[in-house]
Amino acid sequence: MKRIENEFGVSKALPIKTPSTNDGRVDVVVAKDGSGDYKTIQEAIDGAGIKRTNRSRRYVILVKQGVYNEYVIVGSKSKNMMIIGEGMGKTIITGDRSNGTGFSTFESATFLAKGDGLVLKNMTIRNTAGPENKQAVALRSDSDASAFHKCSFEGFQDTLYVRVSRQFFKECEIYGTVDFIFGDAAVVFQECQIFARRPLGGVNTIVTQNRDNTNHTSGIVIHNSEVKGDPKARLGGVKTYLGRPWSLYARTVVMKTQLGELVDPKGWLQWGNMTDISSMYYAEYRNSGPGSGTENRVKWPGFHVISDVQEARQFTVGNFIDGASWLPETGVPFSVDL
């Protein structure tokens, strides 16, 4: 796909063709009690290759409520799929793979999304390994032009791995402790709720971004959302930071978001012994709440308090992930501008 970069290194791509949303249509139903076409989600995904006859529209899988203890993979050939649950906390996919039980972070995901054009709606995806087992991913997404609406992602360290490509999260909930939103995708979180849990140590870091090359058009943007403590967790004595840089050119922007009192006044944390903090781009724009004050933020050359609305607009859905060219076809609502 041809891309053009603006002065901030943000990508503009030509529109892509994607099948339209389901318009209420369902191709197959998954139900644990056997009342649907399949009993497991993976069987339904694998069966799409046989049942799918019209690739000009999305293939839609409805997953009835229940707890599905399985590891789900939407493979790279399974493009333009829509998987719909019956609600957060009702349709639940759960697993417990982790570093502590012998799985790499890359391999630990409860749900792995590789096929482009994936849409997930109305479900919960969990990794229940717990903080003592360190890195344990709930969702890993490699899917370009993927959208997630009203989904909950629950874990502790490394909950949500937005690995590569363009992604969009709307009205989702994300729970975790250390680096629990991480990766090298170009991704926008809009009207999401981000919940910090209690870590084994005394420090939480919400976002860690892995842009290691100036040619990468990636970055993590949190827009019009809310950052707060998990109401079931006691965070007394825990320092919580908005994020830390995984790589030299890490890019993270938090804008028009409600920041709770849990956010440390410094805002951001240095990664280990990384000393070059001039090449990254970390920014805040018009945030609110008790954790939003910027007077005591880090004094890094790469940290910015944005005052120019045109600079902030580079990180909107319309500009940063080319959302107007592909999100309408997903059926997921979005705001294209600030």
Side-chain angles (χ1 to χ4, degrees):
M1 179 182 296
K2 183 179 180 181
R3 293 182 178 273
I4 302 172
E5 289 195 0
N6 64 20
E7 61 186 297
F8 294 99
V10 176
S11 165
K12 296 282 288 183
L14 298 176
I16 62 170
K17 293 182 179 180
T18 57
S20 64
T21 185
N22 63 320
D23 296 322
R25 171 189 45 78
V26 170
D27 290 293
V28 293
V29 175
V30 178
K32 287 180 67 69
D33 62 6
S35 60
D37 301 286
Y38 299 97
K39 289 185 177 181
T40 73
I41 301 164
Q42 193 62 57
E43 287 175 328
I45 294 168
D46 295 343
I50 300 172
K51 290 179 175 288
R52 196 171 190 175
T53 56
N54 184 353
R55 296 186 182 272
S56 66
R57 60 172 175 79
R58 293 190 188 275
Y59 188 82
V60 183
I61 298 171
L62 173 64
V63 185
K64 304 289 283 186
Q65 68 179 17
V67 178
Y68 295 82
N69 196 335
E70 57 176 301
Y71 296 94
V72 178
I73 299 175
V74 178
S76 57
K77 294 182 179 180
S78 298
K79 300 181 186 298
N80 297 310
M81 301 192 77
M82 177 179 285
I83 305 176
I84 306 172
E86 293 194 320
M88 284 190 284
K90 294 182 178 179
T91 297
I92 301 167
I93 307 170
T94 185
D96 62 0
R97 291 175 177 168
S98 68
N99 279 190
T101 55
F103 293 89
S104 69
T105 306
F106 195 76
E107 298 171 330
S108 67
T110 301
F111 194 113
L112 171 56
K114 298 176 72 175
D116 293 345
L118 175 68
V119 180
L120 289 188
K121 301 178 70 171
N122 303 329
M123 65 179 65
T124 292
I125 299 174
R126 288 178 180 159
N127 190 313
T128 61
E132 66 278 4
N133 281 305
K134 300 184 179 180
Q135 293 92 337
V137 175
L139 170 74
R140 185 188 117 201
S141 179
D142 303 356
S143 171
D144 186 38
S146 55
F148 306 86
H149 186 212
K150 293 186 176 180
C151 292
S152 180
F153 305 96
E154 301 175 5
F156 291 88
Q157 183 171 351
D158 290 3
T159 302
L160 181 55
Y161 192 178
V162 285
R163 182 170 171 261
V164 291
S165 301
R166 295 167 299 170
Q167 305 182 29
F168 178 65
F169 292 75
K170 178 76 168 186
E171 298 175 289
C172 290
E173 296 179 357
I174 306 101
Y175 295 79
T177 55
V178 178
D179 304 336
F180 65 95
I181 300 172
F182 73 110
D184 193 27
V187 56
V188 177
F189 294 86
Q190 195 171 82
E191 295 181 29
C192 291
Q193 295 191 77
I194 298 169
F195 295 96
R197 290 175 154 177
R198 188 169 187 88
L200 275 184
V203 176
N204 279 329
T205 45
I206 294 171
V207 174
T208 183
Q209 208 275 332
N210 192 30
R211 182 171 176 254
D212 61 4
N213 188 303
T214 55
N215 293 323
H216 289 188
T217 58
S218 60
I220 293 174
V221 177
I222 298 173
H223 176 217
N224 198 23
S225 294
E226 188 172 2
V227 174
K228 54 188 175 181
D230 180 348
K232 296 179 182 179
R234 295 180 180 179
L235 294 181
V238 174
K239 287 183 175 292
T240 297
Y241 298 91
L242 293 173
R244 57 179 179 167
W246 188 358
S247 295
L248 287 176
Y249 302 98
R251 181 161 51 189
T252 302
V253 180
V254 181
M255 44 188 203
K256 300 184 75 173
T257 287
Q258 176 82 12
L259 303 180
E261 61 183 0
L262 77 164
V263 176
D264 189 89
K266 287 177 59 180
W268 307 88
L269 185 66
Q270 203 161 326
W271 182 292
N273 295 319
M274 184 183 288
T275 57
D276 187 349
I277 51 176
S278 61
S279 56
M280 64 189 69
Y281 184 93
Y282 275 59
E284 297 183 50
Y285 174 72
R286 294 186 60 187
N287 295 317
S288 59
S292 64
T294 58
E295 59 274 11
N296 294 313
R297 287 295 197 252
V298 292
K299 307 304 180 184
W300 302 343
F303 173 71
H304 310 269
V305 178
I306 297 175
S307 57
D308 182 354
V309 67
Q310 296 305 320
E311 182 175 354
R313 281 190 169 128
Q314 303 303 314
F315 303 100
T316 59
V317 165
N319 287 321
F320 195 60
I321 58 172
D322 310 303
S325 72
W326 57 273
L327 275 171
E329 300 300 331
T330 68
V332 174
F334 65 96
S335 298
V336 72
D337 203 353
L338 289 170

